[in-house]
Amino acid sequence: MAKTLLIKRVYSEAFKNLGNHIIKNGFKIYFWVCTLLFVMVLYAFTDRLMNGFIWD
């Protein structure tokens, strides 16, 4: 239990002062790119379902 609390404390202190704007903006860009790619996959899947794609 003590190791778990120590690991939790280390991670919380490591990310508490994440003040670098490049890293923050990088995570935001990564989130939006992943979201966009996921939406594209959903669109392609529904397009195949609606247009009668033959599932072999």
Side-chain angles (χ1 to χ4, degrees):
M1 185 68 173
K3 280 191 175 186
T4 307
L5 291 175
L6 180 63
I7 291 172
K8 180 182 173 187
R9 183 173 167 218
V10 167
Y11 276 103
S12 67
E13 296 215 7
F15 290 106
K16 181 172 57 174
N17 295 324
L18 187 65
N20 194 347
H21 294 291
I22 295 172
I23 293 174
K24 284 184 179 180
N25 290 336
F27 283 139
K28 288 179 186 177
I29 292 170
Y30 179 73
F31 168 76
W32 285 112
V33 167
C34 289
T35 304
L36 177 68
L37 291 174
F38 184 70
V39 168
M40 287 174 60
V41 166
L42 287 178
Y43 171 74
F45 181 71
T46 55
D47 185 54
R48 292 290 184 173
L49 284 177
M50 295 300 169
N51 290 328
F53 181 72
I54 300 172
W55 300 92
D56 285 337

